[in-house]
Amino acid sequence: MQGNRWIPHPLMTVALIVLWLLLNNTYSFGHILLGTLLGIMIPWFTNRFWPERPRICKRRLFLRFFFMTFVYDVVMSNINVVRLILKPDISTLQPKFIEVPLDIDDPMVISILANVISMTPGTVSSEISADHKTLIVHGLNVPDEQAAIAQIKSRYEATLKEIFTC
Amino acid sequence: MIVVEILVSFFLIIGAFFALAGSIGLFRLQDFFTRLHGPTKATTLGVGSMAIASAIYFSFLKEGLSLHEVLITLFLFITAPVSAHFLAKAARHQRLHEDKDHPET
């Protein structure tokens, strides 16, 4: 969806209207009107704050990634981490920093990747190198460093790269 | 209605269990960086399923559709990784990860 002069970010407008209605927990006409007004005004005032954004090109893949891969991974790694924490001997954990070399260069896509990594329990993205080439991730239990890096790269980074490449 | 009640109880118990496990993890884990894994976990499944339980309860057993619980989950999903990232970054700049002999308690 491409924006024009009056509505610079159409998706953001729609998101703001939905957000407004959810916040008020009502679907009455007055609130739809007020939400539309806010949805048009807020992108105007914040327009200069948003740099060039990457566009979602493969919408199907995007939805599948977030509602299947992401939700599945969050649930499974939650269970996995709980098992690690409740283990009788906790000192056998192998926490470690792993350095993930990045193939994507767009800052927005990198931050989405970092957020996805942080939201799946067991890994927290803790720093990005100054040249935006390496993401430093802390893993709660990393027996095999290479396997962990390969999993992040193939499961998340490659998919995100495909979603945002036209 | 009994089905709804069972569903609500199910999600509440799941949520409570993961929140409890997150707190136990915070207590048992040794150093700063492993403790950082607590918040991300408690917010995802713990708060997530409690919000689902609340949405189901108020939608079916009270008046009308209630979806603003979704927002709680949404805002947590947006803010939790950012705060975890900042904590980790600050700790790395303080070089906590190099001080292996004195894990701060």
Side-chain angles (χ1 to χ4, degrees):
Chain A
M1 224 187 295
Q2 204 63 13
N4 57 29
R5 209 171 130 234
W6 298 105
I7 303 177
H9 307 284
L11 267 181
M12 189 175 161
T13 305
V14 174
L16 281 170
I17 295 170
V18 173
L19 191 71
W20 180 257
L21 292 178
L22 283 176
L23 269 176
N24 285 293
N25 219 9
T26 171
Y27 310 97
S28 65
F29 181 70
H31 274 295
I32 293 175
L33 209 64
L34 195 53
T36 313
L37 194 70
L38 288 171
I40 291 171
M41 299 296 275
I42 291 174
W44 271 359
F45 289 121
T46 56
N47 200 9
R48 285 199 299 174
F49 177 76
W50 300 100
E52 282 300 310
R53 301 141 300 140
R55 285 178 49 212
I56 299 168
C57 297
K58 312 226 166 48
R59 239 159 245 246
R60 276 248 187 84
L61 190 64
F62 173 76
L63 291 177
R64 210 178 64 206
F65 176 71
F66 273 94
F67 289 101
M68 293 181 70
T69 313
F70 182 57
V71 171
Y72 176 81
D73 280 11
V74 165
V75 174
M76 287 321 281
S77 49
N78 251 306
I79 294 166
N80 199 16
V81 167
V82 165
R83 242 191 14 232
L84 289 177
I85 283 175
L86 299 181
K87 181 155 91 157
D89 185 12
I90 207 158
S91 58
T92 54
L93 286 182
Q94 294 165 286
K96 197 187 248 176
F97 282 103
I98 54 178
E99 297 189 356
V100 183
L102 292 173
D103 288 331
I104 42 184
D105 45 12
D106 191 288
M108 189 66 121
V109 184
I110 293 176
S111 54
I112 292 175
L113 174 68
N115 273 10
V116 167
I117 289 172
S118 287
M119 283 322 288
T120 50
T123 46
V124 169
S125 57
S126 46
E127 200 167 1
I128 185 158
S129 64
D131 57 355
H132 289 199
K133 289 276 193 294
T134 324
L135 188 67
I136 297 165
V137 175
H138 186 263
L140 185 59
N141 187 23
V142 190
D144 184 357
E145 200 176 331
Q146 289 308 318
I149 294 175
Q151 206 217 350
I152 286 173
K153 285 192 78 74
S154 66
R155 202 163 167 80
Y156 304 131
E157 197 193 3
T159 323
L160 281 175
K161 196 178 178 184
E162 204 188 327
I163 289 171
F164 289 101
T165 338
C166 293
Chain B
M1 281 303 114
I2 190 85
V3 181
V4 176
E5 276 175 21
I6 289 171
L7 259 181
V8 170
S9 326
F10 172 76
F11 278 115
L12 274 181
I13 289 169
I14 294 281
F17 172 73
F18 279 104
L20 175 69
S23 317
I24 292 174
L26 208 61
F27 175 69
R28 289 188 74 196
L29 292 169
Q30 294 305 315
D31 67 338
F32 180 83
F33 287 98
T34 47
R35 280 182 179 164
L36 209 56
H37 293 278
T40 51
K41 184 165 44 285
T43 50
T44 47
L45 260 193
V47 180
S49 38
M50 282 187 213
I52 292 173
S54 163
I56 295 173
Y57 178 78
F58 282 101
S59 294
F60 286 97
L61 300 181
K62 299 281 165 178
E63 72 285 351
L65 191 63
S66 168
L67 282 178
H68 58 336
E69 288 86 355
V70 177
L71 287 182
I72 299 174
T73 322
L74 180 72
F75 289 141
L76 273 174
F77 269 55
I78 295 172
T79 53
V82 179
S83 54
H85 179 86
F86 274 122
L87 285 171
K89 191 166 181 161
R92 275 183 67 88
H93 282 249
Q94 302 254 334
R95 306 198 173 278
L96 289 182
H97 59 299
E98 288 168 7
D99 197 12
K100 290 286 180 205
D101 298 330
H102 307 284
E104 76 292 349
T105 43

